[in-house]
Amino acid sequence: MVSDVHGNSRGLAAAGDGADAVVCLGDLVLFLDYADHSRGIFPELFGAGNARTLVELRTARRFEEARALGRRLWGELDRTGRSRESVIEEAVRKQYAELFAAFPAPTYATYGNVDIPRLWPEYAGPGVTVLDGQRAEIGGRVFGFVGGGLTTPMRTPYEIGDEEYAAKIEAVGEVDVLCTHIPPDVPELCYDTVARRFERGSSALLEAIRRTRPRYSLFGHVHQPLARRMRIGATECINVGHFNATGTPYVLQW
C-alpha cells in the first residue's frame, strides 16, 4: 500500500518487492515539495525562492496572497507565449511516464487530488488497474476504491463536490477494504502537524465506515497526521503514508 508518491519513482519501483500486489492511493504528481522547495513542477518553472514563498503563504493560510503570487508568476509565463495548461501538462506527462513505468504488476490504483485522471489511460499499462468508485477482488478480499479530493481553497486538479464524492462512496458499497485518497472526517486523521492545518476529510466516508464496517479503511493525503491510525467501531483506519518522504510501503497481510 502506497499513497502520496509525489514523484518518487525510484521508491515506487521497489515498493512491490515480495508482495502479491501493489495498491496506490494517488497523488503521483509532484507539483511542489513542502520539505524541499527545489523539487517539483513549480520550482522548475519559477525557482526555489518563489516556491519557498508560496509554501510560507499557504502554511500561514494566506491563500489570497498565495493566489496573487501565482497569478503574477503565471502571467509572466503567459507573456512568453506558453500557456500554463500546456506547460503543466508537459511536466505532468514527463512524471507520469516515469511513475507508471515503475509500477509493478499487478498494481491497483486510484487518483489523488493533484492527479489528472484524463491522462492516466495513456500511461497505465496492462498490469495497472485504475479504479474510482469501483471494486476489485484481491487475494480473496473485496477492495473498494474512491479517488480524488473535496473542494478546497488550494484548487488542486482533481477536487470534486461533496455530493459527487458521496455518490462514489455509495457505489462502492460494502467491502472488506475501503481505499480512498482522503481520510474520513476525523480531526486526528485530518490535521497535518507540519503544515499546521486541517486537510479536508470526507463525512460521507466516515458515515460509510460506521454503516458498512469494513475491516480496513486505508488512505493518504495528510502527509504528517496527528494520528496515523485509529479504530472506528470495527474498522481499522490507517494512513498508509507519505511515500514521497518515506519510500516505505505499508504492508497489509492476511
Side-chain angles (χ1 to χ4, degrees):
M1 314 292 305
V2 301
S3 186
D4 299 83
V5 176
H6 292 302
N8 189 352
S9 56
R10 181 177 298 179
L12 190 60
D17 290 352
D20 296 299
V22 166
V23 173
C24 178
L25 304 184
D27 272 10
L28 301 183
V29 173
L30 179 61
F31 188 76
L32 177 60
D33 192 324
Y34 276 51
D36 182 349
H37 303 147
S38 68
R39 297 182 65 237
I41 295 171
F42 189 90
E44 287 175 5
L45 293 173
F46 304 120
N50 283 318
R52 184 177 303 108
T53 301
L54 184 65
V55 168
E56 290 171 353
L57 291 172
R58 285 181 172 180
T59 301
R61 302 189 65 81
R62 293 157 60 185
F63 295 118
E64 197 52 51
E65 293 175 68
R67 282 194 285 269
L69 173 63
R71 284 193 296 268
R72 177 176 66 80
L73 294 172
W74 286 111
E76 293 171 0
L77 182 69
D78 290 341
R79 286 192 286 275
T80 68
R82 303 171 70 198
S83 72
R84 70 185 67 185
E85 291 81 7
S86 64
V87 168
I88 290 175
E89 182 167 319
E90 179 182 341
V92 169
R93 284 181 176 278
K94 181 180 177 182
Q95 291 188 15
Y96 276 167
E98 295 178 1
L99 291 158
F100 277 93
F103 274 131
T107 290
Y108 301 84
T110 196
Y111 316 111
N113 60 293
V114 302
D115 286 311
I116 303 178
R118 66 178 175 82
L119 298 181
W120 280 36
E122 298 182 42
Y123 296 95
V128 179
T129 302
V130 180
L131 304 109
D132 189 16
Q134 297 162 292
R135 299 148 60 102
E137 184 177 316
I138 307 173
R141 288 191 176 177
V142 179
F143 285 62
F145 293 83
V146 174
L150 297 172
T151 53
T152 72
M154 307 290 278
R155 300 179 182 175
T156 51
Y158 190 42
E159 295 182 350
I160 61 177
D162 290 60
E163 290 187 5
E164 183 179 351
Y165 193 89
K168 291 197 295 183
I169 292 287
E170 186 66 25
V172 165
E174 295 187 16
V175 295
D176 299 307
V177 185
L178 186 50
C179 299
T180 58
H181 178 66
I182 62 175
D185 189 16
V186 177
E188 295 88 342
L189 299 175
C190 294
Y191 187 74
D192 190 305
T193 60
V194 174
R196 300 195 303 276
R197 66 168 182 260
F198 287 97
E199 302 289 356
R200 280 208 69 187
S202 168
S203 58
L205 173 58
L206 178 58
E207 292 168 8
I209 290 169
R210 288 171 171 163
R211 184 179 70 254
T212 65
R213 298 164 60 88
R215 184 171 301 209
Y216 295 100
S217 167
L218 305 175
F219 48 86
H221 187 56
V222 184
H223 292 176
Q224 296 87 199
L226 186 63
R228 292 199 173 275
R229 62 192 301 162
M230 67 166 48
R231 293 192 71 85
I232 299 176
T235 302
E236 187 76 14
C237 299
I238 306 171
N239 184 316
V240 299
H242 180 199
F243 189 75
N244 168 266
T246 67
T248 303
Y250 177 80
V251 179
L252 188 65
Q253 293 180 302
W254 67 91

